[in-house]
Amino acid sequence: MNRKRLGRVMAVVAIVLAAFFLLSSILLGFGMNTNYNLFDVFGNQDQAQQQDQVPSTQDAIDEAKKDLENNPKDPDAITDLAGLYAQNGQYDDAAKVLREGREKAPKNAEIPALLGSVYQQQAPGVEPKEQRELYGKAGDSFATATELDPKNEDLYAAAGQNYDQAGETAEAIKYYNGYLDREPNGQDSQAIKERISALLAGGEETTGVQP
């Protein structure tokens, strides 16, 4: 794999992992006001060396655009370009590419998963009403991904978390339970069980999202 291709793949991996990094914040009660930017983490490591080895982000975006134009139904081309847009903070562009990509590659689970993480990255810092809407969209996207990749427990956890943040309690519990069905003794299982109990008990505001 050449360096340009590797850079695009790492961008996609980073934005997807960002969503799962945020899962621990709601389970541990830290809230969602902290925006973990894994692109900054990766970008600050050996930055000078990387500048000599890889093209600029815009160069990579331009190349990814051409790749997608030549291969409009290729899931890798779709996620490559969307990941680069997201890495560059162009979330609306990333979301547009992914929404169109879902129509062209409807059986690919990575596309809705990445779309969910893009919506999730957009949510912190916006007005409460818009924030809930974005978390709801993220939950819907991760839920779609679970239909395409039903064995992936992380997708269920991400869907549950985002529905939780959106205040959609029934859907949150449904997907939290989906995680537990697949990973009953996982690292986050106990915390998720406790979160489900809290939601069932009622009277608890969704972490980090004000009504």
Side-chain angles (χ1 to χ4, degrees), residues 15-195:
I15 188 67
V16 171
L17 288 179
F20 300 135
F21 247 85
L22 291 174
L23 174 63
S24 61
S25 65
I26 185 172
L27 298 178
L28 297 178
F30 294 141
M32 295 294 293
N33 295 322
T34 301
N35 184 15
Y36 295 91
N37 191 334
L38 293 192
F39 301 120
D40 289 342
V41 175
F42 286 119
N44 289 336
Q45 296 179 357
D46 301 324
Q47 186 172 11
Q49 181 180 357
Q50 289 179 9
Q51 288 176 347
D52 294 335
Q53 294 180 346
V54 300
S56 69
T57 301
Q58 189 57 53
D59 288 340
I61 288 174
D62 290 341
E63 181 183 343
K65 282 183 179 179
K66 293 178 182 178
D67 189 22
L68 182 56
E69 289 173 1
N70 293 329
N71 305 281
K73 295 184 179 181
D74 181 3
D76 289 339
I78 295 165
T79 54
D80 283 352
L81 178 56
L84 284 166
Y85 274 138
Q87 180 186 22
N88 205 39
Q90 297 173 247
Y91 295 120
D92 289 339
D93 291 326
K96 182 175 183 292
V97 169
L98 292 165
R99 286 194 297 267
E100 294 175 351
R102 286 179 59 180
E103 297 178 1
K104 296 173 182 176
K107 295 183 179 180
N108 182 272
E110 293 180 5
I111 294 173
L114 184 53
L115 180 59
S117 68
V118 168
Y119 286 138
Q120 187 172 19
Q121 287 289 307
Q122 287 181 293
V126 301
E127 293 297 319
K129 181 179 179 181
E130 183 181 359
Q131 191 176 82
R132 286 182 181 274
E133 291 174 353
L134 286 169
Y135 283 128
K137 288 181 178 179
D140 290 343
S141 295
F142 282 115
T144 297
T146 66
E147 296 173 4
L148 298 168
D149 187 6
K151 294 182 179 180
N152 189 331
E153 69 277 0
D154 288 331
L155 296 176
Y156 285 86
Q161 178 211 2
N162 280 281
Y163 281 131
D164 196 346
Q165 291 297 113
E168 299 183 32
T169 301
E171 291 299 299
I173 292 172
K174 172 183 174 181
Y175 285 94
Y176 281 151
N177 278 323
Y179 172 88
L180 294 174
D181 289 342
R182 289 155 182 81
E183 198 70 25
N185 300 309
Q187 181 177 353
D188 295 321
S189 295
Q190 185 57 41
I192 286 178
K193 290 176 184 177
E194 293 173 0
R195 182 60 183 165

